[in-house]
Amino acid sequence: MKKRFLLSALTCGLLLGVTTLQAKTDKKVLVQHEMQKQVQNHKQAPKEIVEGMQNTFNALQALGKKDKKEAKKDLEAAMKSFNKALKADPSLDLVPIDERLQAYAFMGTSEVIADRLKVAQQLLKAHDTQAAIDVISPLKDEMDISTIAIPMKLYPVAAKKALDALNKGKEKEALAAIAEAMNSLVVFKAVLPTPLLAAEDLVTEASKLDKSKKKEANKLLDAAKEELKRAELLGYTKKHDADYKHLNESIEAIQKEIKGKNIVEKLYDTLKTDFKNIVAHTKISRVKVPSSVHNKAEEKVEHFEQKEGKKAIDEQNTFKKEAHTDEKKTVQ
């Protein structure tokens, strides 16, 4: 009990430490600039593809309302849009249709992060897993870029299958085909660590200073090394990773040169290039199907199947009653 209280008190101290640090540090502008850059770089999908997807969703809603005529009309419009897009560019494959940006901030120093990790380890040893999760869950300092893409080699095929099923009066198969189309959507998630962006920004600022401002340059470079340490402890890079070690060594080389002849122009240029490369390569990419998008379609299919199953049972019971009545008449 005493041990548990000690750990809890330490956890509270860490949380208070973070609150203090947040008041001193502000990376909002840095993240906002990066978000603006991502938005500018995002390419809009051809309008025909967006319209085709919207018509597919409309068809799903129409089928949910048992409006087969409207669903058929929507699917025909979808196929017309997809065919037009593919005719204009037959090489279309994974086409980004939506991009969402989300930023997470943790302003604690590398010492605060290290202390949190120690507390979490102690809690895990004591099998207090939930408390450990509470301690480490805020340890995110990143920008998440989620891109939803439509596979043009799969989605239109599934939409066509849905239309063909409807033309044959097979509502259940049409719903399943639309669910198949939505299941083919892909989400690419890239995680961009803010500490690396901050370190890159600090190095750039240091490179702009006049050579006489040695103290200010050293202070900025020390801050850049601190951000790299934070990136390592937060799990975005590894201590023994070659690129990570190279960045630290390059910063230290510049600091050594500043104390000497201060011929650092080329060293700064090389370091800034290295940062651009490591930021690009440190994006942790994940691919997943957007369940929030296709779950509704699956629910519709499941609901339809349950309804049809109940209908079959009711019909079977009605048949049994009629057969039993006929049997009584025959006996009489």
Side-chain angles (χ1 to χ4, degrees), residues 77-91:
M79 290 313 305
K80 187 178 177 181
S81 296
F82 289 141
N83 290 336
K84 188 176 178 181
L86 288 167
K87 189 178 179 181
D89 185 359
S91 65

Side-chain angles (χ1 to χ4, degrees), residues 198-264:
E200 181 185 16
D201 189 59
L202 287 162
V203 167
T204 302
E205 287 302 308
S207 71
K208 292 176 183 176
L209 291 175
D210 185 81
K211 290 181 182 180
S212 62
K213 297 184 177 179
K214 296 183 179 184
K215 190 176 179 181
E216 291 90 336
N218 255 316
K219 191 175 179 181
L220 287 169
L221 293 171
D222 280 337
K225 287 197 292 186
E226 162 66 7
E227 290 297 336
L228 288 177
K229 183 66 178 174
R230 291 179 73 253
E232 176 218 325
L233 289 169
L234 289 169
Y236 298 121
T237 184
K238 293 179 182 177
K239 186 178 180 180
H240 302 294
D241 183 86
D243 290 334
Y244 172 80
K245 286 178 73 176
H246 179 66
L247 286 177
N248 268 302
E249 288 167 2
S250 297
I251 292 172
E252 286 170 4
I254 290 175
Q255 287 182 307
K256 188 177 179 181
E257 188 61 39
I258 286 172
K259 291 175 185 176
K261 294 180 181 179
N262 201 9
I263 307 169
V264 292

Side-chain angles (χ1 to χ4, degrees), residues 18-278:
V18 173
T19 306
T20 307
L21 285 160
Q22 283 177 336
K24 294 177 184 177
T25 313
D26 188 6
K27 296 178 185 172
K28 286 181 182 178
V29 175
L30 184 68
V31 173
Q32 283 171 357
H33 285 168
E34 187 61 34
M35 283 189 166
Q36 286 169 4
K37 194 199 305 183
Q38 293 292 333
V39 170
Q40 287 169 0
N41 293 337
H42 175 64
K43 293 180 180 178
Q44 291 292 328
K47 65 174 185 177
E48 291 83 9
I49 293 176
V50 178
E51 287 170 359
M53 279 201 64
Q54 186 58 56
N55 282 319
T56 313
F57 290 133
N58 292 343
L60 177 64
Q61 289 177 334
L63 283 173
K65 295 173 184 175
K66 293 294 181 183
D67 191 342
K68 296 178 187 178
K69 187 179 178 181
E70 187 61 31
K72 185 180 174 183
K73 183 181 172 183
D74 290 327
L75 287 171
E76 284 172 348
M79 290 313 305
K80 187 178 177 181
S81 296
F82 289 141
N83 290 336
K84 188 176 178 181
L86 288 167
K87 189 178 179 181
D89 185 359
S91 65
L92 286 174
D93 189 5
L94 277 173
V95 180
I97 54 170
D98 187 33
E99 189 172 80
R100 295 176 187 182
L101 307 173
Q102 191 169 9
Y104 299 89
F106 183 82
M107 297 301 188
T109 62
S110 58
E111 288 183 2
V112 171
I113 297 167
D115 286 342
R116 273 182 172 262
L117 294 174
K118 285 176 186 175
V119 170
Q121 287 171 348
Q122 290 175 325
L123 289 167
L124 287 171
K125 282 181 183 177
H127 303 292
D128 200 344
T129 308
Q130 298 307 311
I133 291 170
D134 289 338
V135 171
I136 62 171
S137 60
L139 297 182
K140 288 175 77 174
D141 199 3
E142 64 189 44
M143 192 172 80
D144 293 355
I145 308 158
S146 299
T147 305
I148 301 176
I150 176 173
M152 289 301 288
K153 295 189 188 319
L154 297 174
Y155 196 102
V157 174
K160 178 70 166 59
K161 193 192 291 186
L163 180 59
D164 291 342
L166 263 188
N167 285 330
K168 294 174 184 176
K170 298 178 179 179
E171 185 183 349
K172 181 182 173 183
E173 287 182 19
L175 277 164
I178 293 175
E180 184 185 329
M182 292 182 182
N183 282 336
S184 72
L185 292 173
V186 177
V187 169
F188 295 94
K189 185 178 179 183
V191 177
L192 192 55
T194 309
L196 288 180
L197 291 176
E200 181 185 16
D201 189 59
L202 287 162
V203 167
T204 302
E205 287 302 308
S207 71
K208 292 176 183 176
L209 291 175
D210 185 81
K211 290 181 182 180
S212 62
K213 297 184 177 179
K214 296 183 179 184
K215 190 176 179 181
E216 291 90 336
N218 255 316
K219 191 175 179 181
L220 287 169
L221 293 171
D222 280 337
K225 287 197 292 186
E226 162 66 7
E227 290 297 336
L228 288 177
K229 183 66 178 174
R230 291 179 73 253
E232 176 218 325
L233 289 169
L234 289 169
Y236 298 121
T237 184
K238 293 179 182 177
K239 186 178 180 180
H240 302 294
D241 183 86
D243 290 334
Y244 172 80
K245 286 178 73 176
H246 179 66
L247 286 177
N248 268 302
E249 288 167 2
S250 297
I251 292 172
E252 286 170 4
I254 290 175
Q255 287 182 307
K256 188 177 179 181
E257 188 61 39
I258 286 172
K259 291 175 185 176
K261 294 180 181 179
N262 201 9
I263 307 169
V264 292
E265 286 85 353
K266 286 185 179 179
L267 289 174
Y268 269 126
D269 288 341
T270 304
L271 182 56
K272 285 189 280 186
T273 302
D274 290 341
F275 257 113
K276 278 184 172 50
N277 291 335
I278 194 172

